[in-house]
Amino acid sequence: MEKLPLPSDEDGSVLTESRSDMALVVADEAGSTGADVPEDDRPAWDSKLQYVLAQVGFSVGLGNVWRFPYLCHQNGGGAFMLLYVMLLLIIGVPLFFMELAAGQSIRQGSIGVWKHISPRLAGIGYSSCMVCFFVALYYNVIIAWALFYMGNSFQYPLPWEKCPVDMISNQTVKECASSSPTSYFWFRKALDISDSIDQSGEFNPIMTGCLLAAWTIVCLAMIKGIKSSAKVMYFSSVFPYAVLICFLIRGLMLDGAIEGIKYMFYPKLEIWGEVQVWRQAATQVFFALGLGYGSVIAYSSYNPVHNNCHRDAIMVSGINFMTSVLASLVVFVVLGFRAKNIALDCVAANVARMAGIATTGSSEHWWPWFNISDPKSVTLQDYREWYSHYGSLIGTNLTDCDPEREMSEGVEGTGLAFIAFTEAMALFPASPFWSTLFFLMLLNLGLSTMFGTMQGILTPLMDNFRVLGRHKTMLTVCSCVLGFFIGLLFTQRSGNYFVTMFDDYSATMPLIIVVVFETVSVAWIYGADRFLDDVEVMLHWRPPVIYRYLWKYVCLFGMVGLLAASLLRMVFKRPTYTAWNHTTGSESSLEYPGWALVMLSMLIIVASLPVPIGYLFSFLGGRSLPVEEGETEPPRERYSKCNSAEPEPNNHHSPLDEDRNRPLSTFLPLGAEHYRLLPQQEEGEEEEEEEEEEDTGL
């Protein structure tokens, strides 16, 4: 935000900061006197709806569709949801509100916000920018995958419905026969993946083209700032909800849908005693709201200063959670249908196998349970009841055809979207239509999050480096070009393994560290009470005092505990990744090689290093500045706000009571439009006022 021009003395020289006689008053008083008020040239949202859609679009991303349902399923269903809601209320919402209030009041990006609180905290903003850049690199690759699948959806039958035939041997391709058509299409046709991260291989030309298209879309949407990206949000933020509702309605008509919903919501309260479940729930709350990226701060910095950000925090958090529940319903309705079909195929195959055994005359007394002459007429319930009694007595390779086991396989991340979900959609009537709709939804979810991530990079840089702010278009284009060329790492044959590495390690640890420092800076360094005072000035009402204790203790201890749990998990469990073996047509877990461990460690260090570097740089720079005898440290901010209202009797904490020797600036630097310049006073009056200030300690 630009500073107000300094007044000049009679010979035209600019007055120094310590000698300036400028006083600031609220803009309302300026309006009453008819004084001219300079306007702030910072961009702003066209409407409140535009802003809400942007925040929702950023926070609601691919993780809501493929991460939350997996965690809910693996960790006790309804019990995990209750735990998630509790952590959302006591950790997620307070931290989200803190970032919204900080960005809206200071009206700068992440670098400027934390630099405003203390110059030694500027590294927090730079760490946020680094994390956003790392996330943008691999997140756009996922958008490229969605583009590839959406382009392949415009054909019937879908290319992943059946295994291809080898033209030479005229037989089904062995790799596909050993796995499934959807797995083969994903690993071989889309990724052309290698067997390990050590085997890099050549670039995938088709995926490289899709990545170029993804970066082009992002660049065109971001090139004119929030105005253009926000208009795209009207579609990219709303369209996924329409698709999810359509899928839910269609899915509820499918056989197995109700079983899928029951499987998801059945509560297992005993999981509350496991530390790992608490860690996963807290991590999901943390990433679902986009805390620490700086994008929340960047978006809120374009708000009017008196916008009700407390209501926004509760509303966006609630929408985010309800979206996760809606996505989970859709996922498990579809997965229930898929599991039921796989189980019925298993029953038919096993009954046909048993029919061959029955012809030998050795097992006739087992068959009264069902008619083995017509395998497709056998119900899943009858077969499983028979298997529970006699299955162990048969020496053939029979299984119990449990649909629950099928639902537990391949339901996380890319395995859900590009394998399990595509397999289910291939069974839908008019499958190309539903496939196109699904991947268009993934594309919109990815783009809306990508816009917020890029805003977390560009806004802080433009706010703190004026030369970049004057060349917004060039900065945007250069950032996207750089992102594309570095992103080529992910389009080689081993690229999927690097996507996993970046997703697991480039963001998780650094973001937790960033949020810990954010909480410490607001709750302890600046002071939770002072922050609430400034929020009260901004909102015209004081938030509940419970936020003071949540910021100072609950949120801080919760984030420190999450950081400790993540560190211990890395130390005691060697990092692994899931690799594809083309010979067996199956996935296996492999340990990262030594060079990969060094690489993932560097990702964490590089993203976290700006925090201590910024502190040391500011500390050493402050010590090197000469301070004349008798002078105190100059105030950090150029001006402070004068309050003409009568002081309230001991209702609020005064910053001067804490430290009378160091001038403290208000956290709430209102824009230039909120102040006006008072007439210059005579020199004698100035000297008298200076003496009065010395007497009163001001």
Side-chain angles (χ1 to χ4, degrees):
M1 186 174 62
E2 294 183 2
K3 299 288 186 180
L4 288 174
L6 287 171
S8 303
D9 56 13
E10 293 180 357
D11 62 4
S13 62
V14 179
L15 296 177
T16 62
E17 187 172 80
S18 59
R19 298 284 191 260
S20 174
D21 291 302
M22 172 173 285
L24 301 173
V25 295
V26 185
D28 294 342
E29 297 180 7
S32 64
T33 60
D36 294 332
V37 179
E39 296 184 357
D40 187 8
D41 60 353
R42 185 173 185 80
W45 301 104
D46 289 337
S47 65
K48 181 62 175 290
L49 176 62
Q50 194 179 74
Y51 163 70
V52 171
L53 288 178
Q55 287 285 19
V56 170
F58 170 69
S59 63
V60 175
L62 298 174
N64 296 77
V65 175
W66 64 34
R67 180 65 178 166
F68 184 87
Y70 167 78
L71 292 175
C72 186
H73 159 247
Q74 292 293 106
N75 296 307
F80 178 82
M81 281 194 176
L82 292 175
L83 180 60
Y84 179 86
V85 171
M86 182 182 70
L87 294 177
L88 180 68
L89 292 176
I90 65 174
I91 294 180
V93 173
L95 292 176
F96 192 60
F97 173 47
M98 182 185 74
E99 289 198 356
L100 287 179
Q104 180 174 307
S105 61
I106 299 178
R107 296 176 64 78
Q108 288 197 28
S110 56
I111 298 175
V113 163
W114 307 115
K115 183 187 292 185
H116 179 87
I117 296 180
S118 172
R120 297 178 181 178
L121 300 176
I124 298 177
Y126 288 102
S127 282
S128 295
C129 286
M130 288 297 301
V131 173
C132 281
F133 183 68
F134 286 155
V135 170
L137 290 177
Y138 75 84
Y139 212 88
N140 234 16
V141 177
I142 301 176
I143 295 176
W145 294 342
L147 282 172
F148 174 79
Y149 266 81
M150 189 175 70
N152 280 276
S153 298
F154 293 98
Q155 50 185 304
Y156 185 81
L158 293 172
W160 51 81
E161 284 192 18
K162 296 180 180 180
C163 286
V165 177
D166 190 348
M167 300 298 294
I168 299 177
S169 62
N170 200 27
Q171 294 180 348
T172 302
V173 176
K174 182 180 178 181
E175 184 179 1
C176 184
S178 302
S179 54
S180 68
T182 51
S183 297
Y184 174 80
F185 186 86
W186 166 242
F187 288 112
R188 187 56 52 213
K189 294 296 184 180
L191 302 179
D192 192 19
I193 198 168
S194 59
D195 286 352
S196 71
I197 196 172
D198 287 313
Q199 305 171 8
S200 60
E202 64 278 0
F203 290 108
N204 186 332
I206 298 178
M207 206 55 68
T208 301
C210 292
L211 180 63
L212 178 61
W215 275 111
T216 302
I217 295 172
V218 172
C219 185
L220 293 177
M222 299 295 301
I223 204 165
K224 293 185 178 179
I226 64 167
K227 295 291 185 181
S228 58
S229 63
K231 292 177 181 177
V232 179
M233 288 289 183
Y234 282 117
F235 177 77
S236 63
S237 297
V238 176
F239 178 75
Y241 290 96
V243 175
L244 287 174
I245 292 174
C246 289
F247 264 97
L248 180 60
I249 295 174
R250 180 67 184 89
L252 288 174
M253 303 176 184
L254 300 173
D255 186 24
I258 303 302
E259 288 82 352
I261 294 177
K262 290 179 180 178
Y263 182 77
M264 169 189 167
F265 285 103
Y266 183 78
K268 302 174 183 177
L269 296 178
E270 62 272 11
I271 59 97
W272 280 36
E274 300 178 14
V275 177
Q276 181 72 0
V277 175
W278 285 79
R279 186 189 68 82
Q280 291 182 337
T283 303
Q284 181 62 22
V285 168
F286 182 79
F287 287 108
L289 296 177
L291 299 173
Y293 285 92
S295 304
V296 173
I297 294 175
Y299 275 158
S300 64
S301 70
Y302 300 114
N303 268 335
V305 73
H306 295 301
N307 173 65
N308 192 340
C309 56
H310 182 262
R311 181 177 57 196
D312 294 343
I314 297 176
M315 177 172 58
V316 173
S317 301
I319 294 175
N320 188 292
F321 172 69
M322 295 308 298
T323 304
S324 297
V325 175
L326 174 62
S328 298
L329 285 172
V330 172
V331 166
F332 278 90
V333 160
V334 174
L335 290 182
F337 165 69
R338 169 181 172 268
K340 187 71 173 289
N341 276 272
I342 294 176
L344 289 175
D345 291 341
C346 171
V347 169
N350 287 349
V351 170
R353 189 177 296 114
M354 288 188 298
I357 300 175
T359 58
T360 64
S362 59
S363 306
E364 289 83 355
H365 59 282
W366 294 336
W367 309 131
W369 289 84
F370 38 72
N371 181 15
I372 61 175
S373 62
D374 184 11
K376 292 188 177 181
S377 66
V378 180
T379 64
L380 178 62
Q381 182 178 0
D382 288 342
Y383 173 82
R384 296 201 67 196
E385 186 177 355
W386 169 86
Y387 187 87
S388 64
H389 289 84
Y390 301 107
S392 60
L393 302 178
I394 300 181
T396 58
N397 187 21
L398 297 181
T399 61
D400 62 346
C401 300
D402 185 8
E404 182 173 332
R405 185 179 64 252
E406 298 295 337
M407 291 187 64
S408 65
E409 296 178 357
V411 294
E412 180 186 14
T414 55
L416 170 64
F418 299 106
I419 298 178
F421 226 84
T422 52
E423 183 177 341
M425 288 185 297
L427 302 173
F428 282 18
S431 55
F433 168 77
W434 293 104
S435 179
T436 303
L437 209 59
F438 175 73
F439 289 109
L440 185 59
M441 178 194 72
L442 290 187
L443 178 64
N444 281 271
L445 284 173
L447 285 175
S448 59
T449 302
M450 190 66 188
F451 293 153
T453 304
M454 290 298 295
Q455 206 69 54
I457 301 172
L458 301 177
T459 298
L461 295 178
M462 290 187 296
D463 285 343
N464 287 270
F465 302 98
R466 292 187 178 182
V467 63
L468 298 179
R470 290 194 297 266
H471 301 87
K472 297 179 181 179
T473 301
M474 184 62 67
L475 174 63
T476 303
V477 172
C478 290
S479 300
C480 293
V481 170
L482 179 63
F484 168 73
F485 280 109
I486 300 179
L488 293 177
L489 170 71
F490 307 108
T491 62
Q492 56 183 341
R493 293 187 61 193
S494 60
N496 185 52
Y497 305 136
F498 288 99
V499 170
T500 303
M501 178 193 293
F502 272 67
D503 187 33
D504 291 341
Y505 299 103
S506 70
T508 306
M509 295 287 294
L511 280 181
I512 297 174
I513 294 173
V514 165
V515 176
V516 168
F517 276 99
E518 286 182 359
T519 309
V520 170
S521 62
V522 169
W524 293 95
I525 297 178
Y526 183 78
D529 291 323
R530 291 176 61 199
F531 185 69
L532 287 173
D533 290 342
D534 297 330
V535 173
E536 180 180 8
V537 173
M538 186 171 62
L539 302 183
H540 299 308
W541 60 274
R542 190 174 185 84
V545 71
I546 191 174
Y547 281 110
R548 175 178 182 269
Y549 301 100
L550 291 176
W551 287 329
K552 294 186 70 173
Y553 305 108
V554 179
C555 293
L556 182 58
F557 292 154
M559 297 309 300
V560 170
L562 179 59
L563 178 61
S566 301
L567 284 172
L568 291 175
R569 186 171 181 267
M570 286 186 61
V571 171
F572 292 105
K573 183 179 180 182
R574 184 183 174 98
T576 60
Y577 67 99
T578 302
W580 175 256
N581 189 322
H582 78 279
T583 304
T584 61
S586 61
E587 293 179 297
S588 59
S589 181
L590 301 179
E591 292 184 347
Y592 281 108
W595 65 267
L597 291 176
V598 173
M599 183 177 179
L600 65 87
S601 300
M602 290 302 298
L603 289 175
I604 298 174
I605 294 173
V606 169
S608 307
L609 208 55
V611 176
I613 287 180
Y615 182 87
L616 290 175
F617 182 80
S618 177
F619 178 75
L620 297 176
R623 292 186 60 181
S624 62
L625 291 177
V627 180
E628 297 181 6
E629 184 176 357
E631 289 189 2
T632 60
E633 178 186 354
R636 185 172 70 247
E637 290 298 311
R638 199 179 294 271
Y639 310 117
S640 60
K641 179 180 174 184
C642 295
N643 189 357
S644 59
E646 290 294 327
E648 298 181 9
N650 298 328
N651 283 343
H652 297 302
H653 167 73
S654 174
L656 293 176
D657 293 336
E658 293 182 352
D659 189 357
R660 293 181 176 272
N661 297 323
R662 182 172 64 88
L664 295 172
S665 63
T666 178
F667 185 81
L668 185 65
L670 300 180
E673 71 272 17
H674 294 274
Y675 308 113
R676 68 179 176 86
L677 179 64
L678 292 181
Q680 293 292 314
Q681 297 170 322
E682 296 297 332
E683 188 171 352
E685 296 175 356
E686 297 174 4
E687 296 176 354
E688 292 177 2
E689 288 186 1
E690 290 178 359
E691 294 176 358
E692 292 176 1
E693 290 177 353
E694 293 177 357
D695 293 339
T696 58
L698 294 173

